[in-house]
Every structure is written in C-alpha cells, then in structure tokens.
Amino acid sequence: MRRDYRAAVLTRSNATATSTGLNRRHNGHLMHTENYTEIQRVLAEERSLADAAEAHGTLAGCLCAAIGYRFEDWLLEILPEGQAQPMAKETLRELYVDTAGALEGPELEFELLLPEDEEPIDARTAALAQWCQGFLYGLGTSVGRMSQVCPGDIGEIVRDLTEITHVAVDTAQSDESNESAYAELVEFVRIGVQLVFDELGPLRDQPGPPDVPLH
C-alpha cells in the first residue's frame, strides 16, 4: 500500500476506534453477510452494472444519506431496469436487509462485502477501492441534501475514502506489510462508514421533498 497515505489514514482510524470503544480486527464478521463470491455470481448472471464490492458500497452510501431508501431503489442502481430473477432477488434482498440492520443496530456489526481473505491481496485491494467508489457514488446521490452537513468529520471521511479509491499494493513492501495495511484500511473504512451513517441520522429523519425521486 502507499506508505505516506496509509500513515495518515491509520492515525485517524486508531483515534476513531478508540473514541468509539471499538478497536477490532477487520475480519470479525459480526454482521451476517452473504458470501462475496456468491453475490458476485448473482450479479454477473443478472448483468449487473457493478461488481459485488461496488454494488455493496453503493448500497451503504445510499443507506447513509438517502431518505427512505428502499431495496427497489438499490436494484435500480445496479441492475438493468432494476429487475432480477426471483432467487437472485431474494439473495440480494437478504444482503440489503443485513446491511441496513447492521448499520442501524447498536452493536456496530457493519462489515464491508469484500473478497475472502484467501484471495490474492491485489484482488482484495482493488475490491476495497471499488467498494469506496461505490460508497461515494451512493453518498453523492443525496449530495443536495448533504450540503449543510458535509463539512467537518464527514467531509474528512469522504476525502479519505476518495484517496482509498486509488489505493494499490506496494510491490516494494513485504506480503505481511501489505496484509497489515489492507486490514487496517478495511477497518478504517468500516468505522468511517458507521460514523457517517450515525452523523446523517437527523438528515434521514427529515421528510423528503415532494414529488422528487431519490435518484
């Protein structure tokens, strides 16, 4: 990973984890998420406009910022005409419900949907970058309503996630160093997304503008 950016991000990640009383491994898997490979297969069969990581990032971003974001709204973002076969639709609905429940729950169980740890580090790193790209897109769908809350902590997190969309494996570093950097970045993103969700709670509680679609 890029060492200069990693140092800056990890400083904020450790501070965030301490302030929330949560400093755990990135792969705790407290949230019951579907298998990344299975979601990737379903999306490919349904001719998705995004892969599994980006699609899940988009879902998380929209759940953070959009008022009354529905499962059907997410399908419209990631599938042609928002349509899926019944079994695929049920699988994606489970992911939607799990993700929304984890973000809203009191135990901070939210996890990113990323390739399993057995996958090559470069593939996992690329997926993390795509996840952040999807999240920023989802968050941006409500940018008009976020104009008064983006400054401060949320603005900093958004800037950090924008940097992570460009993250790459540092071939000059050891495998162990890259694995450690990846794990810490995943944890930083996880905590940052949870903070964004919590901070935007009052915004999501506001009534939406009449006759204006979410997207």
Side-chain angles (χ1 to χ4, degrees):
M1 307 292 177
R2 298 184 197 176
R3 308 300 293 185
D4 54 347
Y5 176 65
R6 178 193 168 205
V9 167
L10 296 186
T11 297
R12 291 195 65 247
S13 178
N14 291 336
T16 302
T18 301
S19 67
T20 60
L22 186 68
N23 191 1
R24 63 176 189 167
R25 292 173 59 85
H26 79 284
N27 57 352
H29 297 305
L30 292 180
M31 187 178 83
H32 175 64
T33 57
E34 285 66 25
N35 179 276
Y36 176 91
T37 303
E38 174 66 9
I39 297 297
Q40 186 81 321
R41 181 190 64 79
V42 168
L43 292 177
E45 290 180 353
E46 297 298 323
R47 297 177 291 117
S48 173
L49 307 178
D51 66 11
E54 186 176 358
H56 190 244
T58 297
L59 172 60
C62 290
L63 287 172
C64 282
I67 298 172
Y69 194 72
R70 305 170 304 165
F71 171 63
E72 292 76 13
D73 297 321
W74 181 45
L75 292 188
L76 285 170
E77 292 286 359
I78 63 173
L79 298 180
E81 301 181 358
Q83 300 297 318
Q85 295 298 317
M87 290 186 64
K89 190 172 184 179
E90 185 58 30
T91 297
L92 295 174
R93 186 186 298 277
E94 290 177 4
L95 179 59
Y96 169 89
V97 171
D98 282 349
T99 302
L103 285 169
E104 295 170 356
E107 301 300 325
L108 300 178
E109 296 181 350
F110 173 75
E111 299 283 350
L112 283 62
L113 185 69
L114 295 170
E116 290 76 12
D117 289 344
E118 293 75 20
E119 294 298 316
I121 184 64
D122 55 346
R124 285 179 282 137
T125 300
L128 175 60
Q130 292 166 354
W131 196 99
C132 291
Q133 181 174 323
F135 179 80
L136 293 171
Y137 169 78
L139 206 63
T141 62
S142 298
V143 67
R145 294 194 295 277
M146 290 174 59
S147 59
Q148 295 181 350
V149 294
C150 270
D153 289 342
I154 292 179
E156 290 183 24
I157 292 171
V158 167
R159 287 189 289 273
D160 287 339
L161 296 189
T162 300
E163 289 292 327
I164 296 175
T165 63
H166 305 295
V167 72
V169 172
D170 188 344
T171 57
Q173 300 298 321
S174 67
D175 291 344
E176 182 178 358
S177 178
N178 277 315
E179 287 286 352
S180 177
Y182 170 80
E184 290 171 323
L185 281 178
V186 171
E187 179 68 358
F188 170 75
V189 174
R190 189 188 71 81
I191 294 174
V193 169
Q194 186 70 64
L195 285 176
V196 170
F197 182 84
D198 294 343
E199 288 294 321
L200 293 183
L203 180 73
R204 294 191 305 274
D205 291 338
Q206 296 176 7
D211 302 322
V212 176
L214 286 174
H215 307 294

